[in-house]
Amino acid sequence: MLQKGTGAGMIEVIFNKRFPFESYCMSFSSFTITPITTIFTELGSAQTGFTAKEAEARLKKDGPNQIAAQAIRWWHILFRQFNTPFIFLLLGAALLSFIMREITDGLMIAVFIIINSVLGFTQEYHSAKSLELLKKYVVPQARIRRGNKDQLVPAVHVVLGDIVIVEAGDIIPADVRFFECNDLMVNESVLTGESVPVEKVGTKLVSEAKEYHQATNIGFSGTTVVSGKGIGIVIATGKKTAFGEIAKLTVETHHASAFEKGIAKFSKFILRMILIILALLFGVNVLMKGGAGNIFELALFSIALAVSVVPEALPVVTTIALSKGAIKMAQHHVVVKRLSAVEDLGSIEILCTDKTGTLTENKLTVAEINAADPAACLFRAALASPFLGERVREPNNAFDIALWNKLASDQKKEFEKYTKISEIPFDPERRRNSLLVKSNGGQQLIVRGAPEVLFNLCNVSASERQPLELWMAREGALGRRVIALGVKECASGSYTTSDEHNLTWIGIISFVDPIKPTAHQALGRAGQLGLHIKILTGDSKEVAAAVGMQVGLVKGISEVATGEELEKIHDVDGQIALAERVAVFARVSPEQKYRIIQLLQTKHEVGFLGEGINDAPALKMADVGIVVSDASDIARDAADIVLLKKSLTVIVEGIHEGREIFANTVKYIKTTLISNFGNFYAIAIASLLIPYLPMLPIQILLLNLLSDFPMIAIATDTVDKEELRRPRAYNVKEIVLVAITFGAVSTVFDFIFFAVFRPYGPSALQTNWFIGSVLTELVLIFSIRTNRFFLFGRRPAIILMLLAATAFLVAIILPFIGTAQHIFSFIRPDIYHLRLLLLIVGVYFIINEILKVFYYRHFQGVNKR
């Protein structure tokens, strides 16, 4: 299994392995240069196709043409709610409470666990069911030649050696080697990340294709036919396709999320601390008091005190915060599959993404027209589209759509006057297509293709060519693609390639995938959050550089690296340095995307936004995998978050939301540990100084309940802006240092309660110490919730203030109620004692604020304003 490593050593071990799809790349490569007759012989097939019996035998032998998707089962989601170290810790605490007959405490902890599990299960199950409605890349039928007849069969019944026929709009059902192509254009963006459709050919290639985008005579499973028609022989099905090999790597990739790692560290610390507390407290009491003490009561007190240190409301606080974040993200058309991914999103330092559809519109548009008559140039270029005459549909080639959309409405009406007589489709070797059209004005041959080719066909002189080449160079530097146009009158009813000469030069048109209007704003917002954006694209270096320069990620093409350049560095440390330094990578393969993320993860938390089949391994490896709703099934299965609308702005806002959740979770942990540590130290030491318990076990548990009641509302609290400016991780050492430092202040004031109320007897001490402990914990919330002086921080959430006020009143009123006095062994407090309590609590808050401002200013670098 591939595991996420923690350093260069692990990365080196992984990289020295051969990736599953590396072996597949070699297998499809051989088909690109093998004569089609040889392929038919090797696969035991023929152009007439298999008989029904032969196909059935092959299906039994090789299995169905499918990749099993992960089924959504409600019990898997439910089990996930309990499968965390902290929940195990709480279950242990609840079990101990029941064993010691502390039913109230056990039930209280159980309620927290149930609330957490129900909230988490409801949110994640709803998201899982929502995703079932987003299934897109399903190929229910495929056109196959069987017994020399074309017929539709279920795609899962396609077998090795079958003859497949594909047309515009079809999704290729398996990996095929084409042997007949007619203007066949295939969108391979789900596999390669290349935004422009690829022209396919039916002949063997001159040199062996090593990468997917080079295999122009191979149709890959899951890719979409944009235009034209193709016939090919199936060379791989199911798990043996490019799709299947990538799926295999995805399944073998596992790693723990940032949230899981942070909570696991914290849980281990709490568990160790509780075991030490139990042993020390019980042992010291027995040694000092000997047989004079009640062993059972002492054991009960020790367990209650130890359990009181556990922040049992942590799962509820995090689940409420995460659910709130998920609901807020859902309002922005985002589906969260794994609830903790909302917080993980806030921890990422680097977001890797393709440019297409994220930074750009993923829609080619006409950028510039260099022609004597731009309108005529545009009109003739649109006329040269293969769709001319097919009135049932609009063009579906990216270039043709751009041209069509640029036309004025009156120009579109003019198309009705033209009829297509003949055409020669685009050919990668000819680098052009041509069309013979007829209208009332006569017949015209229009040739459209690469400018270098049209220069020769139009006999453009060197002096005329120079300014055109300069213009092309400028457009190329902007990442724009160009096509040129030439025409001539043609009286004949047909033509050949030899007629495509002595054309009249019309002009050149450049095309661009425009930058989204929100891209600059999103990148600016990312910068404010300390988030680094990296582009990983299958596009050319020039196109990637142009986009990178427009959005401010790079200053020039020299700052862009390719996947091949990364491969040439054999030193792992050198690869890590390049991955960290470069903001834009071009011509990256699925393996290279996967590798770049692994390299970055040696030092950073990494998010990845993808959508294609090729992105699935990288999505699974990333700390947070993000996809769009129309991504491939395997990509969606591997992802943690699904965007119903592809937008970098939504992701950046999600990161902001995740950091708010993290900040509030840490607030809760710090506040509860400070108060729990303070109370624990004071009550434990006081128990050694007096012959009775300074606070009864049931009073300790009630104290926990009352203080946790408003603390749950921290999940909805506001957060200071400086807390969101950079990604943060769970720092157990820093949390413990804060807990010990501020817990010491809490301990001092607990001893003040002890010293002041001890002379009034056991019941008075226990009652007043209980009230004082609740009140100090409540004011502590409002102190610790901001690193600034409390008046300079953001206003607390309304729900937090309301719940804190409720707990405040309950703590004071409860000892006056007869039933409560009987159950919790309280006595009626004296009014003088209450005034004294409020004074001590007020002084505690002031001292705590002074220490906090000093601590964060001198040790954490936080200014008060």
Side-chain angles (χ1 to χ4, degrees):
M1 291 293 188
L2 297 177
Q3 299 286 343
K4 175 180 170 182
T6 55
M10 174 62 78
I11 292 294
E12 194 161 17
V13 170
I14 293 172
F15 286 0
N16 286 336
K17 293 184 178 183
R18 180 169 293 280
F19 287 82
F21 51 81
E22 279 184 319
S23 60
Y24 177 76
C25 286
M26 290 190 293
S27 64
F28 85 74
S29 295
S30 62
F31 284 105
T32 61
I33 57 171
T34 304
I36 194 65
T37 52
T38 305
I39 295 174
F40 273 111
T41 302
E42 289 181 353
L43 297 180
S45 182
Q47 291 199 33
T48 55
F50 296 123
T51 64
K53 186 175 288 187
E54 288 172 332
E56 187 178 349
R58 291 210 171 200
L59 186 62
K60 287 182 179 179
K61 176 186 174 185
D62 298 330
N65 175 38
Q66 65 182 9
I67 301 166
Q70 295 180 355
I72 299 170
R73 296 286 185 265
W74 65 267
W75 54 85
H76 294 160
I77 298 173
L78 183 62
F79 175 73
R80 193 159 63 220
Q81 309 310 312
F82 294 93
N83 191 26
T84 66
F86 202 82
I87 293 295
F88 293 150
L89 183 62
L90 290 184
L91 287 171
L95 182 63
L96 277 175
S97 299
F98 287 127
I99 290 173
M100 301 304 295
R101 298 181 181 179
E102 281 301 314
I103 307 300
T104 303
D105 184 40
L107 288 174
M108 186 178 73
I109 296 174
V111 166
F112 278 131
I113 294 172
I114 291 169
I115 291 172
N116 167 76
S117 302
V118 169
L119 287 173
F121 173 80
T122 303
Q123 179 66 41
E124 292 192 26
Y125 185 74
H126 174 72
S127 295
K129 284 301 178 184
S130 297
L131 288 172
E132 285 188 341
L133 302 176
L134 298 175
K135 297 295 184 182
K136 295 289 183 182
Y137 283 92
V138 177
V139 187
Q141 299 286 320
R143 189 173 295 279
I144 303 296
R145 185 170 294 165
R146 295 268 171 88
N148 207 25
K149 291 182 179 180
D150 295 354
Q151 56 186 276
L152 288 174
V153 301
V156 295
H157 293 167
V158 173
V159 298
L160 189 68
D162 257 333
I163 306 303
V164 175
I165 301 96
V166 293
E167 296 179 332
D170 290 343
I171 296 176
I172 300 177
D175 289 358
V176 302
R177 161 69 154 82
F178 290 115
F179 56 84
E180 286 185 26
C181 293
N182 183 11
D183 192 30
L184 183 62
M185 302 288 289
V186 178
N187 184 340
E188 295 182 341
S189 60
V190 294
L191 186 64
T192 66
E194 175 68 60
S195 57
V196 175
V198 178
E199 177 78 15
K200 294 296 181 179
V201 297
T203 57
K204 73 183 186 71
L205 303 185
V206 176
S207 58
E208 187 173 281
K210 299 293 185 182
E211 304 289 346
Y212 295 129
H213 69 272
Q214 297 171 341
T216 55
N217 58 359
I218 302 291
F220 294 103
S221 174
T223 58
T224 307
V225 178
V226 172
S227 64
K229 180 178 179 180
I231 304 175
I233 180 171
V234 174
I235 59 174
T237 61
K239 296 179 180 179
K240 295 182 180 179
T241 61
F243 193 144
E245 291 293 339
I246 294 172
K248 181 181 178 183
L249 179 59
T250 304
V251 170
E252 292 181 353
T253 302
H254 300 277
H255 75 278
S257 72
F259 178 81
E260 290 168 347
K261 289 183 288 185
I263 293 298
K265 283 182 184 178
F266 183 68
S267 301
K268 288 176 183 176
F269 165 73
I270 292 291
L271 183 59
R272 283 196 221 100
M273 184 180 68
I274 286 175
L275 292 175
I276 293 170
I277 286 170
L278 278 171
L280 285 178
L281 185 60
F282 187 79
V284 171
N285 266 281
V286 170
L287 287 174
M288 292 187 66
K289 296 180 180 179
N294 184 324
I295 297 297
F296 178 80
E297 187 181 59
L298 181 59
L300 195 63
F301 171 72
S302 300
I303 290 174
L305 197 56
V307 170
S308 73
V309 179
V310 178
E312 62 272 5
L314 177 59
V316 178
V317 170
T318 55
T319 302
I320 291 174
L322 293 170
S323 298
K324 172 177 169 279
I327 291 168
K328 193 170 181 180
M329 291 176 74
Q331 293 170 351
H332 292 91
H333 309 292
V334 178
V335 178
V336 178
K337 286 176 59 182
R338 175 174 58 84
L339 203 54
S340 62
V342 180
E343 184 178 294
D344 289 341
L345 195 59
S347 70
I348 64 174
E349 303 163 81
I350 296 172
L351 176 65
C352 297
T353 176
D354 190 3
K355 63 172 185 60
T356 308
T358 308
L359 298 172
T360 66
E361 295 282 8
N362 193 22
K363 183 175 69 175
L364 282 182
T365 60
V366 174
E368 300 286 345
I369 302 175
N370 186 329
D373 186 345
C377 180
L378 176 67
F379 184 75
R380 286 188 171 90
L383 272 180
S385 299
F387 79 94
L388 180 64
E390 299 177 32
R391 311 318 311 164
V392 294
R393 63 183 174 89
E394 289 190 353
N396 54 15
N397 176 288
F399 290 102
D400 293 330
I401 291 172
L403 291 167
W404 179 259
N405 290 337
K406 186 70 173 177
L407 290 173
S409 58
D410 58 330
Q411 288 180 305
K412 291 179 181 178
K413 290 179 182 178
E414 282 290 309
F415 268 56
E416 300 293 339
K417 300 177 182 179
Y418 288 83
T419 304
K420 179 169 66 175
I421 299 174
S422 181
E423 71 171 309
I424 300 178
F426 181 88
D427 186 295
E429 293 184 9
R430 293 180 351 107
R431 301 178 65 196
R432 66 185 185 273
N433 77 298
S434 57
L435 206 71
L436 181 62
V437 297
K438 180 181 181 180
S439 69
N440 294 334
Q443 293 185 171
Q444 203 172 56
L445 178 62
I446 307 173
V447 182
R448 190 179 73 175
E452 298 85 355
V453 175
L454 268 293
F455 284 154
N456 295 326
L457 297 179
C458 296
N459 301 317
V460 177
S461 66
S463 60
E464 293 172 324
R465 184 181 297 196
Q466 187 176 9
L468 294 173
E469 288 177 336
L470 288 173
W471 184 86
M472 288 164 50
R474 286 195 299 270
E475 295 298 294
L478 294 173
R480 296 173 177 177
R481 296 172 171 86
V482 296
I483 60 171
L485 205 68
V487 302
K488 80 174 189 179
E489 299 300 320
C490 183
S492 173
S494 63
Y495 72 100
T496 64
T497 55
S498 61
D499 295 313
E500 297 173 343
H501 291 85
N502 299 315
L503 304 173
T504 300
W505 176 263
I506 300 298
I508 317 178
I509 302 174
S510 66
F511 298 81
V512 65
D513 184 2
I515 300 295
K516 281 189 172 182
T518 57
H520 289 93
Q521 180 184 356
L523 287 171
R525 184 86 172 106
Q528 293 172 2
L529 295 173
L531 176 70
H532 299 282
I533 306 292
K534 291 184 183 289
I535 295 176
L536 310 182
T537 180
D539 267 329
S540 68
K541 197 171 184 177
E542 291 74 20
V543 173
V547 173
M549 285 188 287
Q550 287 182 67
V551 297
L553 289 179
V554 295
K555 294 179 180 178
I557 195 169
S558 61
E559 296 181 18
V560 178
T562 63
E564 186 179 354
E565 289 169 9
L566 177 71
E567 294 291 337
K568 289 179 179 178
I569 301 174
H570 299 294
D571 174 48
V572 175
D573 291 330
Q575 289 185 331
I576 292 173
L578 182 70
E580 285 191 295
R581 185 179 73 252
V582 173
V584 179
F585 281 92
R587 288 293 184 210
V588 288
S589 66
E591 174 199 359
Q592 290 158 352
K593 284 185 182 180
Y594 186 92
R595 183 169 300 188
I596 289 167
I597 288 174
Q598 281 188 314
L599 291 166
L600 292 171
Q601 283 180 321
T602 58
K603 297 181 180 179
H604 308 280
E605 296 291 328
V606 183
F608 179 69
L609 171 60
E611 60 181 307
I613 299 165
N614 63 322
D615 292 329
L619 286 164
K620 193 74 174 287
M621 175 53 63
D623 296 290
V624 181
I626 309 164
V627 297
V628 290
S629 60
D630 59 352
S632 61
D633 286 344
I634 186 173
R636 282 202 308 274
D637 284 344
D640 302 304
I641 292 173
V642 179
L643 307 180
L644 301 185
K645 181 180 180 182
K646 194 171 185 180
S647 169
L648 185 60
T649 302
V650 173
I651 301 169
V652 172
E653 287 306 313
I655 290 170
H656 178 275
E657 197 69 31
R659 291 188 185 173
E660 279 195 349
I661 291 167
F662 174 84
N664 283 333
T665 302
V666 171
K667 275 184 203 176
Y668 169 78
I669 294 173
K670 287 181 177 179
T671 304
T672 194
L673 283 186
I674 289 169
S675 58
N676 289 354
F677 267 131
N679 279 333
F680 164 73
Y681 291 142
I683 295 173
I685 294 171
S687 69
L688 303 175
L689 303 177
I690 52 178
Y692 54 87
L693 297 178
M695 196 179 296
L696 299 178
I698 195 168
Q699 293 171 344
I700 294 174
L701 300 176
L702 179 62
L703 167 63
N704 270 353
L705 179 62
L706 278 178
S707 59
D708 278 337
F709 180 57
M711 280 190 188
I712 291 173
I714 288 178
T716 65
D717 196 20
T718 56
V719 179
D720 293 334
K721 289 182 180 179
E722 60 264 20
E723 289 287 302
L724 308 174
R725 286 177 185 160
R726 60 186 176 86
R728 298 172 186 270
Y730 285 99
N731 187 335
V732 175
K733 290 182 180 178
E734 194 267 338
I735 290 173
V736 172
L737 179 61
V738 168
I740 291 173
T741 302
F742 291 88
V745 176
S746 179
T747 300
V748 169
F749 278 84
D750 276 324
F751 275 122
I752 292 174
F753 289 136
F754 176 72
V756 170
F757 296 108
R758 179 185 175 187
Y760 297 99
S763 296
L765 172 62
Q766 292 164 350
T767 301
N768 286 296
W769 200 345
F770 166 81
I771 296 171
S773 295
V774 173
L775 299 189
T776 53
E777 288 196 28
L778 292 176
V779 298
L780 178 66
I781 294 174
F782 293 94
S783 177
I784 295 301
R785 63 170 294 277
T786 174
N787 293 344
R788 302 176 174 188
F789 181 59
F790 80 103
L791 291 177
F792 297 146
R794 292 187 66 189
R795 195 178 77 170
I798 299 295
I799 185 68
L800 176 60
M801 292 191 287
L802 288 175
L803 291 182
T806 302
F808 185 93
L809 292 174
V810 169
I812 291 177
I813 294 171
L814 204 60
F816 287 94
I817 300 172
T819 306
Q821 291 174 1
H822 175 72
I823 295 174
F824 298 105
S825 301
F826 290 140
I827 63 167
R828 184 182 181 88
D830 186 274
I831 298 300
Y832 167 74
H833 289 169
L834 285 179
R835 290 175 181 171
L836 197 57
L837 277 170
L838 292 174
L839 176 63
I840 295 171
V841 170
V843 174
Y844 166 73
F845 181 73
I846 293 169
I847 296 296
N848 206 73
E849 279 294 293
I850 293 170
L851 176 63
K852 180 190 70 176
V853 171
F854 176 83
Y855 176 86
Y856 284 109
R857 180 178 294 173
H858 294 280
F859 295 99
Q860 300 292 323
V862 176
N863 297 320
K864 73 175 184 177
R865 279 188 176 275

